[in-house]
Amino acid sequence: MYPENITKIEKKHAELIVYELNKNRITQSQSDHKKCSFYYYTSDGKQNRVNTRFVLLSGHSSRLAHYYRHLYQTAKHVHYTSKYKDVEFLKKSDIDSRFKALRSQMTNEEQLLLYYNYRYGFGGRWDYRYDDPRQGTSEFRFFTKYLMLHNVPLYDTMHAKAQNPVEHFQEYKDKFPTADLFEWGGGYN
């Protein structure tokens, strides 16, 4: 399944990733589901090795969707505690602290999957979409205001065919040069 607005290049890149995963899934299932390793190229031109005992593309997608749906609803709940009618329910520092605690429960790889979800499909409502504003929202700025992708691995695990978050959020960074979106600097000075 692809979003309606996906470009031909993005679709080709996604198909390549799915092809690589399927190839490794078949290899793993033919080896009695033993531990499997596979490699993919990252945005820094290196190969990243992934070891897994789970059969790739054999489930968990319903759990993953459930996980991100709950994460999104939790983020919305925390966001709205700052907008309770005309009364300041929580201070900005308390809201930021709660988002930081929420983010700290996520591994770097979960943040990377969250970025992929936002960028290439179902999670467009997490933030404003700089590539296609119709797919995003200006109401919630969970990535740019609350830094939900602060610990996303920018280079060593980012698939070579995926747009790096640094590139995607460049327009935001140009508008707000002091913003500290990513822990690893993201090439920003």
Side-chain angles (χ1 to χ4, degrees), residues 36-166:
C36 178
S37 297
F38 68 94
Y39 299 87
Y40 65 92
Y41 287 98
T42 61
S43 61
D44 58 2
K46 298 179 182 174
Q47 277 190 338
N48 192 30
R49 179 179 172 181
V50 175
N51 298 317
T52 181
R53 292 183 190 272
F54 298 102
V55 178
L56 298 169
L57 303 175
S58 65
H60 301 294
S61 62
S62 62
R63 291 180 186 161
L64 192 60
H66 188 70
Y67 171 77
Y68 285 117
R69 198 168 33 253
H70 276 275
L71 182 63
Y72 179 74
Q73 293 303 322
T74 302
K76 274 179 54 177
H77 174 73
V78 172
H79 171 77
Y80 279 128
T81 58
S82 65
K83 291 184 162 188
Y84 188 76
K85 298 193 179 191
D86 295 329
V87 179
E88 183 180 40
F89 187 65
L90 289 174
K91 296 178 185 171
K92 182 187 179 322
S93 61
D94 292 333
I95 297 292
D96 292 343
S97 175
R98 289 177 185 206
F99 271 101
K100 187 175 181 179
L102 186 61
R103 184 183 70 237
S104 73
Q105 299 302 309
M106 298 171 62
T107 66
N108 295 352
E109 288 73 19
E110 287 171 324
Q111 289 182 36
L112 181 59
L113 284 174
L114 177 60
Y115 171 71
Y116 288 157
N117 179 263
Y118 154 79
R119 208 33 210 94
Y120 296 107
F122 307 103
R125 309 269 312 150
W126 279 91
D127 208 307
Y128 181 79
R129 286 286 299 266
Y130 294 91
D131 58 324
D132 186 357
R134 295 170 295 156
Q135 297 296 315
T137 179
S138 58
E139 181 179 8
F140 304 120
R141 299 291 180 110
F142 297 132
F143 299 156
T144 53
K145 183 177 180 181
Y146 298 119
L147 307 178
M148 289 296 292
L149 296 177
H150 191 65
N151 303 92
V152 69
L154 296 173
Y155 302 104
D156 59 343
T157 58
M158 178 71 58
H159 197 283
K161 300 296 183 183
Q163 183 187 30
N164 193 291
V166 172

